[in-house]
Amino acid sequence: MRRRALAAALLAPPLAGAQELIASEAARFTVQEWATGLDRPWGGAFLPDGRLLLTERPGRLRLIARDGTVGPPITGVPAVDAGGQGGLLDVALAPDFAASRHIWFAQSAVVQGGLVARLCRARLSADGAALEEVTPVLDCTPVQRTGRLHYGGRITFSPDGRHLFLTSGDRNETRERAQALDDLAGKVIRLTADGSIPADNPFTNRRGARAEIWSYGHRNPQGIAFNPATGSLFAAEFGPLGGDELNLIRPGGNYGWPVVTHGRNYSGTQISDRTSAPGMVDPARAWVPAISPSGLAFSPGGAFPAWRGQAFLACLNPPGLLRIAMQGDMPGAEERLLWGRQRIRQVLFDAQGLAYLLLDASRGGVLRLPPA
Ligand SMILES: [Ca+2]
């Protein structure tokens, strides 16, 4: 792949095989086409050796070498239903991956003639070629007979490695699922690192409530990450027409959907006449018009010291990368980077602080942003 700096191309779209210089308010970086030929990459996790374990939504899992070389599909991935917004979704390494080689992933699965978002654990073989001991751990039931939208499907671990968090969407057909505590749709779910239900979850002792629930009232959260400066958990979710949200997630919190929202139906009609209500948590930030935020990550700094602790959202429509300066847990000024170009499903940072952008296209790939 040719890689040359094009200082003159500040506002031009990226050229195939080329490198482009971008001057951000906080940092100067270049844009590299790092990995190509990927079909709707959705989530990824860096292995300790620096390779990237990456999902493609149609149902493939691959290892990407440090130079961007795309490996063959890893065998043993279970069947997914890739219709609508479903498929193979996020992947995360178990905190003890170096010893156990365990990984976790989310997918849409056919169950009882319907569809469900499913969390699985597996072991990545020593040579990285196969998944072994694939174990479904949790289905976000009840199973839904119709509709292939709003699975959520993003996974993160707490910084201490003791808990796994999974986002689950409302599945779109019946919005009130997000408010129902006997239903795992429209939730942030918390499990222990081995997949069991923690004894200290907020609804463990509430009759009729699912003990896996950490927070509820979510529409379609596809971003989740811990703020390294404060240890707080944040999630990003798609609103309907307008009303996308960044939320500071607290245990037992009701985030309002569909009772309160800043958004409207796609037809323009009203969903709710309220954007806020007692007992419901207001978003840390809401966007009207929409930005369609999928993945969320906080920069570790590294090669970009000025970005340390700032939040980055992968946006689909309008497409681009949104940088949010954080003051503790308060979102501050925003900067729109690479705006209006390519749909970005997820943003990842490697150990050196370089950002990787997963391009949401059937002929997609991964961009890398090294310092200029
Ligand atoms: Ca909300």
Side-chain angles (χ1 to χ4, degrees), residues 17-286:
Q19 182 169 292
E20 175 193 16
L21 177 69
I22 302 285
S24 156
E25 292 162 17
R28 286 159 56 86
F29 60 87
T30 56
V31 182
Q32 292 177 342
E33 278 194 326
W34 182 66
T36 57
L38 295 164
D39 188 358
R40 302 213 176 267
W42 209 94
F46 286 99
L47 269 51
D49 65 11
R51 288 182 295 170
L52 178 63
L53 183 63
L54 186 90
T55 64
E56 292 175 286
R57 191 166 61 78
R60 286 177 295 273
L61 187 65
R62 299 178 190 268
L63 280 169
I64 315 296
R66 295 175 66 155
D67 66 358
T69 302
V70 175
I74 293 170
T75 62
V77 176
V80 301
D81 182 285
Q85 295 170 349
L88 184 59
L89 305 174
D90 204 13
V91 64
L93 304 189
D96 66 350
F97 173 85
S100 69
R101 295 192 68 80
H102 280 156
I103 69 164
W104 292 79
F105 59 91
Q107 65 163 111
S108 54
V110 177
V111 180
Q112 300 163 9
L115 287 162
V116 72
R118 170 175 288 175
L119 176 70
C120 295
R121 182 177 61 200
R123 195 157 62 88
L124 182 63
S125 64
D127 62 4
L131 290 189
E132 302 166 342
E133 301 169 15
V134 176
T135 308
V137 172
L138 180 69
D139 284 352
C140 295
T141 51
V143 171
Q144 190 168 295
R145 302 272 164 194
T146 58
R148 289 179 153 82
L149 302 178
H150 299 189
Y151 288 99
R154 199 68 74 183
I155 302 166
T156 197
F157 280 89
S158 57
D160 65 8
R162 293 177 57 220
H163 295 104
L164 176 153
F165 294 83
L166 168 71
T167 66
S168 166
D170 72 354
R171 303 300 318 287
N172 190 59
E173 304 289 309
T174 308
R175 291 166 167 170
E176 289 69 25
R177 292 189 66 181
Q179 288 291 321
L181 289 175
D182 61 351
D183 189 317
L184 289 185
K187 307 296 186 299
V188 172
I189 289 162
R190 178 187 187 239
L191 301 177
T192 64
D194 67 1
S196 58
I197 301 175
D200 59 351
N201 268 5
F203 301 112
T204 302
N205 297 316
R206 185 175 300 193
R207 187 187 303 268
R210 294 291 299 263
E212 299 92 338
I213 296 172
W214 186 247
S215 65
Y216 66 110
H218 299 286
R219 184 173 179 270
N220 189 22
Q222 286 189 357
I224 191 163
F226 278 86
N227 181 348
T230 60
S232 299
L233 182 63
F234 278 84
E237 67 181 67
F238 297 95
L241 184 65
D244 297 329
E245 298 180 357
L246 178 68
N247 286 305
L248 171 57
I249 302 297
R250 300 197 185 282
N254 179 355
Y255 288 78
W257 177 256
V259 181
V260 295
T261 176
H262 289 260
R264 303 175 78 85
N265 288 306
Y266 291 111
S267 63
T269 57
Q270 196 173 64
I271 294 169
S272 169
D273 59 359
R274 293 182 292 172
T275 58
S276 187
M280 296 186 184
V281 186
D282 291 337
R285 179 155 292 171

